[in-house]
């Protein structure tokens, strides 16, 4: 049965450390039987990666019903390095007064797998409206990468140029959710584009003649438009 251990330590050289303890119930153990004990442990992020002493004591009841306690058992535990996440390749198709996408690449550099990862985006400007600010990317193994995409709309009152967006990666299971340090990235916003571009296929008409003028009309809005009329 799992126990819970939440320990805060300044390191093995600090004699004033206060150590939290925890217990786990195993039930009965027959002669030569082995059981595994697990303790959920949280370690301060500023601790160095080295061995730390862990003391264990077994309290049990013998065959005569007498409660006994084993001598203190000492072992060493070594925490692994902090989780490292890369968030780069940020690009966008955002335009003033129009909708577009923000894309990026998320990479898990380890040392552990990322479980149920979610990327959260928070624009610094209130003139950028992100449709869904949280995008689930699922599990990521060590050295695995995935693409992340956010749909957003830019106000017509916004100025073109780079704007800051903060991305944070959440990961873990249930109440053990953790989050990365924030990634502050510049997201480009292009100047406002005309809704339509109109170009004549052949704009030369000889004087005194009657010709059919053929025009190409291009929709620049990035979405389907209907009931379009062109007036000359």
């Amino acid at each position: 049965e799992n126990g819970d251990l939440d320990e805060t330590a300044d390191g093995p050289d600090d004699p004033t450390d206060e150590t939290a303890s925890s217990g786990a119930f195993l039930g009965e153990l027959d002669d030569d039987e082995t059981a595994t004990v697990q303790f959920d442990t949280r370690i301060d992020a500023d601790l160095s990666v080295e061995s730390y002493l862990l003391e264990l004591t077994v309290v049990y009841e013998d065959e005569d019903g007498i409660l006994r306690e084993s001598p203190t058992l000492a072992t060493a535990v070594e925490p692994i390095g902090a989780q490292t996440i890369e968030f780069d390749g940020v690009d966008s198709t955002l335009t003033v007064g129009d909708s577009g996408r923000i894309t990026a690449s998320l990479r898990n550099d380890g040392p552990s797998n990322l479980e149920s990862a979610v990327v959260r985006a928070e624009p610094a400007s209130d003139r950028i409206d992100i449709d869904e600010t949280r995008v689930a990317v699922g599990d990521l193994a060590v050295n695995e990468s995935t693409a992340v995409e956010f749909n957003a709309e830019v106000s017509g009152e916004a100025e073109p140029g780079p704007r800051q967006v903060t991305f944070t990666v959440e990961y873990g299971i249930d109440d053990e959710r953790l989050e990365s340090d924030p990634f502050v990235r510049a997201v480009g916003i292009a100047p406002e584009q005309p809704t339509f571009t109109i170009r004549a296929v052949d704009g030369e008409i000889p004087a005194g003649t009657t010709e059919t003028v053929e025009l190409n009309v291009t929709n620049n809005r990035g979405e389907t438009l209907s009931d379009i009329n062109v007036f000359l």
Side-chain angles (χ1 to χ4, degrees):
E1 183 174 329
N2 290 351
D4 293 321
L5 178 63
D6 190 353
E7 180 171 350
T8 300
D10 295 324
D13 297 328
D14 187 354
T16 64
D17 285 346
E18 293 184 1
T19 303
S21 62
S22 180
F25 180 72
L26 289 179
E28 294 186 1
L29 279 181
D30 294 332
D31 187 25
D32 292 330
E33 184 181 0
T34 301
T36 300
V37 182
Q38 294 182 344
F39 292 94
D40 296 329
T41 307
R42 184 181 301 278
I43 300 177
D44 279 357
D46 57 356
L47 285 185
S48 59
V49 179
E50 56 183 79
S51 294
Y52 292 91
L53 179 66
L54 183 66
E55 295 181 342
L56 304 100
T57 303
V58 180
V59 179
Y60 61 97
E61 190 177 277
D62 66 13
E63 58 185 10
D64 297 324
I66 300 175
L67 192 66
R68 298 184 182 275
E69 182 175 309
S70 73
T72 300
L73 308 173
T75 187
V77 293
E78 183 175 318
I80 61 176
Q83 190 69 37
T84 304
I85 300 171
E86 293 293 335
F87 194 86
D88 52 22
V90 178
D91 197 6
S92 81
T93 60
L94 301 183
T95 302
V96 173
D98 203 352
S99 58
R101 292 182 302 276
I102 302 172
T103 57
S105 175
L106 172 66
R107 176 183 172 85
N108 175 21
D109 284 344
S112 302
N113 295 337
L114 290 184
E115 297 181 295
S116 304
V118 174
V119 181
R120 187 174 72 241
E122 300 175 19
S125 172
D126 58 4
R127 295 186 177 179
I128 301 176
D129 182 21
I130 298 179
D131 294 344
E132 297 288 343
T133 58
R134 297 167 57 89
V135 173
V137 297
D139 298 339
L140 276 183
V142 177
N143 295 327
E144 184 179 359
S145 300
T146 188
V148 183
E149 181 176 299
F150 295 89
N151 293 321
E153 186 169 351
V154 181
S155 167
E157 299 178 356
E159 294 291 332
R163 293 292 182 274
Q164 284 189 349
V165 178
T166 300
F167 301 92
T168 307
V169 182
E170 303 173 4
Y171 58 95
I173 302 298
D174 299 331
D175 57 348
E176 293 298 321
R177 297 288 288 177
L178 302 173
E179 64 178 41
S180 68
D181 292 333
F183 300 95
V184 180
R185 299 291 185 263
V187 174
I189 300 177
E192 186 172 7
Q193 301 294 317
T195 302
F196 296 101
T197 301
I198 302 178
R199 291 186 176 87
V201 176
D202 185 359
E204 294 184 1
I205 303 175
T209 65
T210 300
E211 300 286 346
T212 299
V213 177
E214 187 175 326
L215 304 175
N216 282 340
V217 181
T218 302
N219 172 16
N220 298 320
R221 282 292 299 271
E223 60 182 334
T224 301
L225 302 179
S226 59
D227 296 329
I228 299 172
N229 293 292
V230 180
F231 299 92
L232 297 180

